[in-house]
Amino acid sequence: MKKKLPAPGFMAISLGLFGVSLLTSLVIGIRAVSSNGTISYGEGIAVFACLLLCLAGFLITLYGHYVVKAESRLNYRLGLFTNGGLLLVLLFLYFLGI
């Protein structure tokens, strides 16, 4: 099975982390709005995990492009903008206390 499937590139991993983080933060955001702004401790930990996933995706993109100098079909800036943008939004909401 390993021989038939190609190894995922750094951009696939970076965008996969972004997708998981975006989906989780959207679900928790919808739950927070529907519950009048209150979320449980578990959901708060999940939002913090989303923050860490975005940071990991951002660092994987930087590492893959600048350190390893790997080539990808997708431009590395896509990983930087998606993960970096969501990271900034989550940090902004964190410092607001939401």
Side-chain angles (χ1 to χ4, degrees):
M1 186 85 167
K2 281 186 177 181
K3 293 179 183 178
K4 292 183 180 183
L5 294 175
F10 73 97
M11 284 301 296
I13 294 171
S14 173
L15 293 177
L17 290 174
F18 168 73
V20 169
S21 180
L22 179 67
L23 187 65
T24 306
S25 60
L26 283 176
V27 167
I28 292 174
I30 290 170
R31 286 187 44 90
V33 169
S34 67
S35 66
N36 294 327
T38 58
I39 59 174
S40 67
Y41 287 115
E43 292 168 339
I45 291 170
V47 172
F48 187 69
C50 289
L51 186 81
L52 292 178
L53 287 175
C54 284
L55 182 63
F58 189 78
L59 293 176
I60 286 172
T61 303
L62 289 176
Y63 180 76
H65 182 71
Y66 290 112
V67 177
V68 178
K69 298 191 185 319
E71 293 295 324
S72 176
R73 290 189 334 209
L74 296 173
N75 194 349
Y76 75 97
R77 291 183 189 121
L78 180 65
L80 294 180
F81 289 141
T82 54
N83 285 308
L86 188 58
L87 183 68
L88 288 176
V89 167
L90 290 174
L91 281 174
F92 178 72
L93 292 175
Y94 176 75
F95 284 119
L96 283 179
I98 297 176

